[in-house]
Amino acid sequence: MKSKKWKRVFKKESYRKNYQKRYICLAFSEKGGKRMNWYLQSNENSDVVKSTRIRLARNLQNVRFNLNQKEEIEVLENKIKEGLYNIGYGLKFFKLKDMDDITKMSLVEKNLISPSFVLHKNETGSILINDEENICIMVGNEDHIEIQIFNCGLDLDNTLNLAIEIDQKIEETLGYAIHKKYGYLTACPNNVGTGLRASVMVHLPALSKTKNTEKVLEAINSFGINIRGVYGENTETTGDMYQISNKQTLGITEKEIIQNLQVIVEKIIKQERQARKILAKDELALEDIIYRSYGILSNCRKISSEEARTLLSNIKLGVDLGILKELSDLKVQKLYLYTKPANLQKYVGEQYEAIERDIKRAEVVQQIIKE
């Protein structure tokens, strides 16, 4: 059944605005020439919110879910690849099996693809991605297509606008599995309806230091919000980073999902900033924590990625509060990215064992600080 009738019933409040291109997080890259991608950018709320992601889970009509035969998956993959090339946006097609392990893990570290996608779909999964990496479509994961749009800081509205713009073009090209009562049909019942998972990555160092993180996260959990680790479900929280996302997708419009999450995230921002004011009352103690972390990071001869994340949490707090003036926002973003194992190796263009990586990580940290 054509989906237009369903849209009148379930999507009358959906965001169908023109995407405001000025909000795409692009500038100049660290190596010149190209424009810098969203994960190295900042905006007015980047002191607390690191990034925004919109994901739309979709399945094609007349194609069964949970394909497990290689031949079936290849047919689906070819159909999707041919169709999605026509929608534009500079998307390029890559099969996971054709990527080296470091490249795949670098995409995981950037949160562009999920760890489970690499683990379980290494031989059959594929992605379509643009050079700016603010669009990454996973093909053949849990659902046939998972459209993902990324942005720096807190920007739910504009990120959703682009996701829906792309979603409409794909639907017109390929056609989706839609039920006139339940909406978009997905492999996981939790995603049925809009198929929308909106998430923001938040940095909460002050709430952690004032021992209020658990209380705040328990409160927002009661509002039907998921709190997860940096890489999603069943992953650990590191460096005071948390992923906040909606639970409900059925019986609620896209606009309502975004509005609800926006309200919750704004409350988290307020709580974190209040906790920072409390910390700042003991100025000397706070400066000591920040500058000790900076001193270790800028003078170490080897350092693990776990220790680097812990120190960077304090350093980012210092930069955001204007205490640590030796680093810019851009340098902090680079340090976060290029201290991660795979992206460290991509940055230097060499492959290293764990111990060698710790040594090279210290060198790269000091290079970035001195830039």
Side-chain angles (χ1 to χ4, degrees):
M1 182 175 180
K2 191 68 176 174
S3 60
K4 290 183 179 178
K5 182 178 179 181
W6 181 86
K7 283 183 180 176
R8 286 199 297 270
V9 177
F10 290 89
K11 290 201 168 184
K12 57 186 177 183
E13 296 186 62
S14 297
Y15 287 3
R16 300 292 179 184
K17 304 171 186 175
N18 291 325
Y19 182 65
Q20 299 176 38
K21 292 183 179 178
R22 66 179 181 275
Y23 286 104
I24 300 177
C25 296
L26 306 176
F28 291 99
S29 75
E30 70 282 359
K31 295 187 177 178
K34 296 180 181 179
R35 293 187 292 177
M36 183 164 52
N37 293 2
W38 62 271
Y39 41 76
L40 293 175
Q41 290 287 299
S42 302
N43 68 13
E44 61 180 349
N45 289 305
S46 291
D47 59 321
V48 179
V49 181
K50 195 171 189 301
S51 62
T52 298
R53 184 194 71 177
I54 296 292
R55 190 206 69 193
L56 298 174
R58 299 291 186 255
N59 289 278
L60 304 191
Q61 59 188 357
N62 302 320
V63 179
R64 73 181 183 87
F65 294 2
N66 297 315
L67 298 177
N68 52 27
Q69 297 295 321
K70 187 175 181 180
E71 294 76 15
E72 290 180 311
I73 294 171
E74 287 181 350
V75 170
L76 170 68
E77 189 178 68
N78 290 333
K79 182 177 181 180
I80 291 172
K81 180 174 67 173
E82 291 170 6
L84 296 199
Y85 270 138
N86 296 328
I87 70 171
Y89 303 97
L91 294 171
K92 298 175 183 177
F93 180 83
F94 300 95
K95 291 187 176 185
L96 292 184
K97 67 180 182 180
D98 295 334
M99 298 181 190
D100 62 82
D101 290 341
I102 292 177
T103 296
K104 284 181 283 195
M105 289 312 300
S106 74
L107 295 175
V108 171
E109 291 173 356
K110 294 173 184 176
N111 292 102
L112 297 175
I113 61 178
S114 64
S116 61
F117 183 48
V118 174
L119 180 63
H120 301 299
K121 304 293 181 178
N122 198 32
E123 291 298 315
T124 57
S126 55
I127 63 170
L128 286 108
I129 189 169
N130 63 347
D131 289 340
E132 295 79 14
E133 296 182 335
N134 66 313
I135 304 171
C136 182
I137 301 174
M138 293 191 289
V139 178
N141 192 19
E142 184 177 53
D143 295 287
H144 296 159
I145 300 173
E146 292 179 27
I147 303 165
Q148 299 179 111
I149 309 299
F150 303 87
N151 222 326
C152 60
L154 179 61
D155 197 359
L156 287 163
D157 285 345
N158 287 297
T159 311
L160 178 63
N161 291 341
L162 179 56
I164 290 177
E165 180 182 298
I166 293 172
D167 185 42
Q168 285 183 310
K169 290 188 176 184
I170 296 174
E171 183 173 10
E172 291 168 1
T173 302
L174 298 175
Y176 289 145
I178 298 176
H179 190 280
K180 65 179 181 180
K181 180 179 180 181
Y182 298 112
Y184 291 107
L185 300 179
T186 57
C188 177
N190 291 338
N191 295 325
V192 169
T194 60
L196 169 63
R197 189 72 62 194
S199 63
V200 295
M201 195 76 72
V202 295
H203 181 226
L204 309 177
L207 285 172
S208 175
K209 288 176 176 25
T210 56
K211 311 297 183 185
N212 286 306
T213 307
E214 188 173 335
K215 181 172 68 175
V216 170
L217 295 182
E218 283 179 359
I220 67 173
N221 188 53
S222 66
F223 287 94
I225 297 294
N226 286 318
I227 305 106
R228 293 171 171 167
V230 173
Y231 299 115
E233 192 172 5
N234 300 321
T235 63
E236 294 181 356
T237 295
T238 59
D240 301 314
M241 291 283 185
Y242 298 85
Q243 191 176 135
I244 312 295
S245 63
N246 63 295
K247 286 182 181 177
Q248 186 178 0
T249 60
L250 181 63
I252 186 171
T253 66
E254 295 156 322
K255 182 177 180 180
E256 289 168 336
I257 290 172
I258 293 302
Q259 287 177 337
N260 291 345
L261 188 59
Q262 180 84 24
V263 169
I264 295 298
V265 173
E266 287 175 354
K267 289 183 182 297
I268 294 172
I269 292 172
K270 184 177 180 180
Q271 291 290 324
E272 171 63 20
R273 287 175 177 167
Q274 286 177 346
R276 294 181 185 190
K277 289 180 180 179
I278 293 170
L279 286 178
K281 289 180 179 179
D282 191 343
E283 185 176 352
L284 183 61
L286 182 58
E287 288 182 354
D288 186 60
I289 291 171
I290 291 165
Y291 273 98
R292 279 177 184 271
S293 297
Y294 177 69
I296 294 171
L297 200 63
S298 58
N299 291 285
C300 63
R301 293 297 176 263
K302 67 183 182 69
I303 188 169
S304 68
S305 58
E306 292 79 10
E307 184 182 4
R309 283 196 294 270
T310 300
L311 296 174
L312 280 169
S313 179
N314 294 332
I315 287 169
K316 176 171 167 51
L317 176 63
V319 172
D320 291 336
L321 291 176
I323 294 171
L324 184 64
K325 300 184 185 301
E326 286 82 352
L327 294 175
S328 64
D329 287 341
L330 175 56
K331 286 186 178 181
V332 172
Q333 300 285 31
K334 286 183 179 181
L335 288 170
Y336 265 108
L337 178 61
Y338 296 124
T339 53
K340 295 175 181 177
N343 279 285
L344 168 69
Q345 293 172 95
K346 295 284 282 187
Y347 183 78
V348 298
E350 297 286 345
Q351 188 171 351
Y352 298 98
E353 296 297 327
I355 295 176
E356 294 174 312
R357 282 202 304 270
D358 290 351
I359 297 170
K360 184 57 65 174
R361 183 176 291 109
E363 294 175 7
V364 168
V365 164
Q366 287 153 40
Q367 287 173 13
I368 293 173
I369 288 175
K370 292 175 182 176
E371 283 178 355

